[in-house]
Amino acid sequence: MMVESIKNVAIIGAGTMGQGIAQVCALAGYPVMLYDTQPEITKTAIANVRKRLEMAVEKGKLSANLKDEALARIVAVGDFRQLQVDIAIEVVVEKLDVKQKIVAELEKLNAIDCILVSNTSSFPITQIASVMKHKNRFAGLHFFNPAPVMKLVEIIRGAATNDHTIKVLEAFVESLSKISVMATDSPGFIVNRIARLFYAESLKIVEDGVSDFQTVDRLLKETGFKMGPFQLMDLIGVDTNFAVTTSMYNAFHHEPKFRPSRLQQQKVDAGQHGRKSGKGFYEYPQTDQ
């Protein structure tokens, strides 16, 4: 059931996470405005959502009517000034200054009761909100990739976030058929703080020549993981994963356990960003991008 105080949603950033969150919100009944600085990315995002929903229909997981209704709720928006909504979700590149600029502009556009959230994986919510006048209506809402599949959503309370904002977000997450967990405002929050060590040690094993990445993935899958760390980095985006690690390394004052990997840096420099680029640690056919 939709949250009474939320009639519409804006999603800023039409990349992998943005389109996944748009799909989740649309299926839950919310009209969604999807914005990106590059209009062609928004068009591709909606096409990708359509493809995933059509596959769900083919598999008998979704009716054709529900597919059509969900797609009709997602509207590509080319003018940022149109993003006047009840809740706006920032899902852009993991760069602090970019995120701060967006939330500051969203605050100017929207009414005082509009809730603004960031899907950041690593930056403290209080730090992003420092540019806002009304910091009480800002919080973290961290979905996991792929958003349509992963049930967990972290809600992060900033230093100024008020109780009303948290209550609305808890109800909103529930309306999306997701499970929320509250996290204290700290770099990486809960899941990504733990995950950094999962990725870091896997990368170090390969860097030190102990094993190759295929073997590491295979062994971890055989122990019960659905996906190995290198497969997961390719899915998330090697560049995104590296950016999160770098952000946390800096936020924790260069704590050695969060040190970024040279191997991962090489992949980023080479443009080998994973599934979305066609090659990461593995290679992917064009149709899988």
Side-chain angles (χ1 to χ4, degrees), residues 33-232:
M33 287 192 281
L34 184 60
Y35 173 86
D36 198 285
T37 54
Q38 302 178 61
E40 64 275 12
I41 292 180
T42 310
K43 291 179 182 178
T44 300
I46 293 176
N48 287 341
V49 172
R50 180 182 298 276
K51 183 179 178 180
R52 285 197 295 268
L53 293 180
E54 287 174 347
M55 289 177 63
V57 172
E58 290 174 6
K59 294 179 180 179
K61 296 181 178 180
L62 185 70
S63 72
N65 284 341
L66 288 177
K67 176 208 72 176
D68 291 340
E69 290 172 3
L71 286 170
R73 293 188 188 107
I74 305 175
V75 178
V77 173
D79 186 347
F80 191 90
R81 293 170 296 181
Q82 291 182 254
L83 304 178
Q84 297 181 33
V85 289
D86 297 317
I87 183 169
I89 307 172
E90 171 274 303
V91 200
V92 301
V93 64
E94 202 72 357
K95 292 184 178 179
L96 180 61
D97 59 336
V98 177
K99 292 179 180 293
Q100 288 179 324
K101 181 180 179 181
I102 287 171
V103 299
E105 291 178 352
L106 286 169
E107 184 180 32
K108 292 175 185 176
L109 278 176
N110 283 282
I112 192 69
D113 57 349
C114 170
I115 292 177
L116 307 177
V117 299
S118 173
N119 187 63
T120 181
S121 301
S122 58
F123 289 117
I125 295 305
T126 303
Q127 190 176 21
I128 298 175
S130 65
V131 298
M132 297 177 62
K133 290 183 179 179
H134 305 286
K135 301 175 178 62
N136 58 313
R137 58 168 167 162
F138 185 73
L141 195 66
H142 183 214
F143 292 79
F144 294 87
N145 190 25
V149 176
M150 302 297 283
K151 288 291 186 182
L152 181 68
V153 179
E154 289 177 316
I155 298 176
I156 304 97
R157 181 194 289 267
T161 309
N162 62 24
D163 290 341
H164 171 73
T165 298
I166 295 299
K167 288 179 181 178
V168 172
L169 289 177
E170 287 178 328
F172 179 61
V173 171
E174 184 178 359
S175 76
L176 301 179
S177 299
K178 302 290 186 186
I179 299 169
S180 66
V181 61
M182 287 298 305
T184 301
D185 191 18
S186 175
F189 319 125
I190 302 171
V191 175
N192 263 308
R193 187 164 175 176
I194 295 170
R196 286 315 100 196
L197 307 183
F198 174 67
Y199 298 123
E201 200 58 36
S202 300
L203 285 159
K204 197 169 188 309
I205 285 171
V206 175
E207 287 177 344
D208 291 348
V210 177
S211 184
D212 55 59
F213 67 86
Q214 297 98 329
T215 301
V216 173
D217 276 352
R218 180 171 57 81
L219 289 175
L220 283 171
K221 286 176 71 176
E222 287 179 358
T223 61
F225 285 83
K226 289 187 177 180
M227 193 175 287
F230 296 94
Q231 292 172 312
L232 188 52

